[in-house]
Amino acid sequence: MPEAATSSISTPTFADITTVGVGGRIAAFVQPHDRVGLIEAVEGADSKGLPLCLIGGGSNLLASDQDFPGVVVRDTRQDISVPDEVAPPEGGVPVVHINATAGTNWDDLVSYCVRMHLIGLEGLSGIPGTVGASVVQNIGAYGQEVGRLVDSVEVWDRQNKVTAYLRASDLDFGYRTSLLKQTMYQAPAVPDARFFPTPRYVVLSVTLVLRHGSAARVDSAQLAKALGVQVGATLPLERIRQAVLTVRAGKGMLEDPYRYLTDWMGSCRRTSDLEEALEAVQGDLHGPRGERVLLDRHSCGSFFTNPIISREAANALPADAPRYPVEGSALVKTSAAWLIDHSGFHKGFSLEEGSAAALSDVHTLALTNRGGAGSDDMVVLARAIQKGVDSTFGIRLIPEPVTPGIDLAW
Ligand SMILES: Cc1cc2nc3c(=O)[nH]c(=O)nc-3n(C[C@H](O)[C@H](O)[C@H](O)COP(=O)(O)OP(=O)(O)OC[C@H]3O[C@@H](n4cnc5c(N)ncnc54)[C@H](O)[C@@H]3O)c2cc1C
């Protein structure tokens, strides 16, 4: 392994800095504090031909237990700014541009915008991770996606060795994908050796376009139900945020905030927002599921994306299989959770009694580390599910997390 590129005498393992808590030793760990330092750290690794893993919150990463022989870089900048406080009207709607550096915790940004009465992010409350990674996989939930709010993304282009601003129209946002993510793969789940596990374009900062206002429309049926209102109702942003956090907590889809009390994660969230997250989890811990709540939280969130299939393939599925039209195409999106469940892998499923790797008790799509799972445990479970769904429905599930050192292609 190369010499550590930091002054610190120790480096974390991937298990220390990922939500699923799995993964081996890292040769060098660098935490730049400014924009130039970030570019230098990336370029330093690239110029030496070392493997590079840009890491944010580690919430979409399942790394191998093998040593990672390269450099892991984590941007420590957490700056939110409002470049144009008095924004000119665009198409008659008053908008405001919000800029955040890549290392900013995503939910800290959402919380800030809700407090500042800026509409657009409230439905994306509680998604773990950072602003930089949010545009890589175009995070989404409850009918909202970050890509729809992006004005521009400032990047370091590792190939041409220049900084650039990519506009939303350049970024090819789609369901859990973007130009940035596409640069990492030759085909779905088949890594491109040049830019894996870090995209060609390293995100330095993201500028979003939001609207002023203290209330927003609820467009998601699931959210409307949780709020006890009709789809289309207008509610205060804070009420929507709280409902999203509650629904996510019930599905084990909030990350474990206690991870931010550890040495390696300690500086990655704003203190006031962390206190709020810790307080919120207390209710769950003292609820009926108690300690199991935390067991279900050590995951990468949804492990598989919802398959997008042809109309013929969709017609061949059982009548009760979910089918959603894909905007602008003849394709159909179905539900990975439904396929998994109907292939015999139910909530809480594990290959062996008491195994450290199991499906979440409350979410079919989350592969959880119940404590001490190794990458092989997670991979064996993931492959069993992929094979089971393929043999039942002839559909290949594509993993959502980035998997350094692990091959889940087939
Ligand atoms: C409990 C839970 C719930 C989740 N719920 C959702 C959900 O509802 N919707 C959803 O879309 N996702 C969800 N996710 C997935 C995850 O939160 C998102 O993918 C998130 O954007 C990952 O951010 P991160 O900073 O943790 O990325 P990481 O896991 O650190 O990295 C992921 C990838 O992004 C790259 N990356 C990181 N930072 C940068 C940068 N600055 N520039 C370029 N590349 C970068 C990494 O190299 C890697 O390839 C969930 C995850 C968990 C654990």
Side-chain angles (χ1 to χ4, degrees), residues 54 56-60 128-130 133 137 139-140 176 197 199 203 248 299 301 402:
L54 216 298
S59 59
N60 208 24
T130 54
Q137 82 142 359
I139 57 168
R176 299 296 172 274
V203 177
R248 296 187 74 92
S299 77
V402 177

Side-chain angles (χ1 to χ4, degrees), residues 17-20 38 52-61 75 102-103 126-142 176 180 184-185 196-199 201-204 248 252-255 259 296-297 299-302 400 402:
I17 55 174
T18 57
T19 51
V20 71
L38 175 57
L52 169 73
C53 182
L54 216 298
I55 195 166
S59 59
N60 208 24
L61 274 178
D75 181 5
I127 298 182
T130 54
V131 167
S134 71
V135 288
V136 174
Q137 82 142 359
N138 186 18
I139 57 168
Y142 308 111
R176 299 296 172 274
L180 311 186
M184 287 196 280
Y185 297 97
F196 186 87
T198 296
Y201 303 101
V202 167
V203 177
L204 305 175
R248 296 187 74 92
M253 281 289 135
L254 287 178
E255 72 178 323
R259 71 189 294 245
D296 279 334
R297 283 172 193 238
S299 77
C300 305
S302 298
E400 187 178 299
V402 177

Side-chain angles (χ1 to χ4, degrees), residues 242-327:
Q242 287 311 321
V244 171
L245 293 176
T246 304
V247 171
R248 296 187 74 92
K251 295 198 233 161
M253 281 289 135
L254 287 178
E255 72 178 323
D256 171 15
Y258 285 98
R259 71 189 294 245
Y260 293 102
L261 301 180
T262 63
D263 286 349
W264 288 113
M265 294 302 298
S267 53
C268 297
R269 278 205 81 165
R270 293 179 169 210
T271 314
S272 57
D273 292 303
L274 176 58
E275 280 166 4
E276 196 189 309
L278 285 166
E279 209 177 295
V281 88
Q282 285 304 312
D284 292 346
L285 283 178
H286 297 120
R289 292 185 64 248
E291 292 282 305
R292 296 198 68 78
V293 167
L294 283 182
L295 285 182
D296 279 334
R297 283 172 193 238
H298 299 143
S299 77
C300 305
S302 298
F303 198 87
F304 299 105
T305 53
N306 288 324
I308 297 193
I309 54 180
S310 66
R311 195 167 294 277
E312 296 73 50
N315 288 341
L317 290 172
D320 58 335
R323 295 170 176 82
Y324 311 100
V326 175
E327 222 177 283

